[in-house]
Amino acid sequence: DKGMAGFKFKLDFLIKLRQRKEEEAMARLAKRLASIRELEKEIAEMTDKKTRLTHELDAKIKTGEITIPLLTLYKEYDLKMVKDIARLNEFLRLSRREEAKERAALTKASVELKIMEKLKEKKKAEFVVDQMYIEQNNLEEMAALAKARRDRENASQYAEG
């Protein structure tokens, strides 16, 4: 339909820009969520390992096969794991805070894109209405001209007759 081909949205470049912004925000959030899953997995594994070592130590104490140097080794390793788990949990806390910011940024980018798309639809609808109005006027004008011509022809026929 040639009427619609005439519609050009002046702000199409802004729509493309906002689409890119939304895609980038999605990619950032996806990356963040993957790293959060990785951290959670690491924390779970380390916590399991710590629990296993504690049970192992308890068993050795019960059976009396523990020496002071071995006990010291276990305690030092246990302390190291406590610190590592605490550090990972701190990373996780910060990552979750970043995730919240990134989710908000994605929401904002999506809303801004929707607003531009809505505006484009509105402008397109207005354009269609304008085109219909122009065509209607053209038709009325053509009809008026045709009537004027007919009237002239009739008038000249009467003049001859």
Side-chain angles (χ1 to χ4, degrees):
D1 170 12
K2 74 170 174 50
M4 276 323 295
F7 177 69
K8 284 277 181 292
F9 186 54
K10 289 180 187 66
L11 302 175
D12 262 334
F13 74 99
L14 262 185
I15 288 188
K16 286 194 178 59
L17 205 69
R18 288 181 177 184
Q19 277 168 341
R20 195 158 61 240
K21 207 170 168 185
E22 187 189 45
E23 281 160 18
E24 284 165 4
M26 269 180 198
R28 264 197 306 277
L29 181 60
K31 219 161 118 186
R32 174 75 55 196
L33 291 172
S35 96
I36 285 176
R37 274 195 302 277
E38 206 50 49
L39 271 172
E40 287 172 335
K41 197 175 128 207
E42 219 179 320
I43 291 168
E45 283 168 5
M46 202 169 283
T47 305
D48 283 350
K49 190 176 181 184
K50 186 182 175 309
T51 305
R52 269 202 316 281
L53 277 172
T54 302
H55 290 325
E56 214 175 274
L57 178 60
D58 287 347
K60 280 186 172 22
I61 289 172
K62 279 195 186 77
T63 57
E65 43 175 325
I66 192 80
T67 62
I68 295 299
L70 192 58
L71 181 63
T72 307
L73 210 61
Y74 265 104
K75 288 297 176 195
E76 279 173 4
Y77 194 59
D78 188 69
L79 191 63
K80 179 192 179 303
M81 280 196 292
V82 167
K83 282 182 182 158
D84 286 346
I85 291 169
R87 189 174 44 86
L88 287 172
N89 274 313
E90 180 59 15
F91 278 152
L92 185 58
R93 191 179 67 77
L94 294 174
S95 286
R96 288 218 171 104
R97 186 190 288 167
E98 287 305 306
E99 178 205 347
K101 281 185 203 163
E102 283 159 8
R103 266 187 207 283
L106 175 57
T107 302
K108 184 171 184 274
S110 297
V111 166
E112 285 175 355
L113 175 59
K114 288 276 183 306
I115 289 170
M116 285 313 295
E117 287 170 342
K118 281 262 184 343
L119 180 63
K120 181 177 181 171
E121 284 309 305
K122 184 171 173 260
K123 291 292 175 200
K124 197 171 179 175
E126 285 171 7
F127 176 81
V128 171
V129 169
D130 287 346
Q131 290 303 99
M132 282 163 56
Y133 181 71
I134 289 167
E135 263 165 51
Q136 185 59 40
N137 276 354
N138 287 345
L139 289 175
E140 283 169 9
E141 220 169 286
M142 277 162 27
L145 287 173
K147 184 180 185 308
R149 196 172 57 243
R150 272 197 314 277
D151 289 350
R152 267 200 316 279
E153 281 167 6
N154 289 342
S156 66
Q157 271 172 2
Y158 285 128
E160 287 167 16

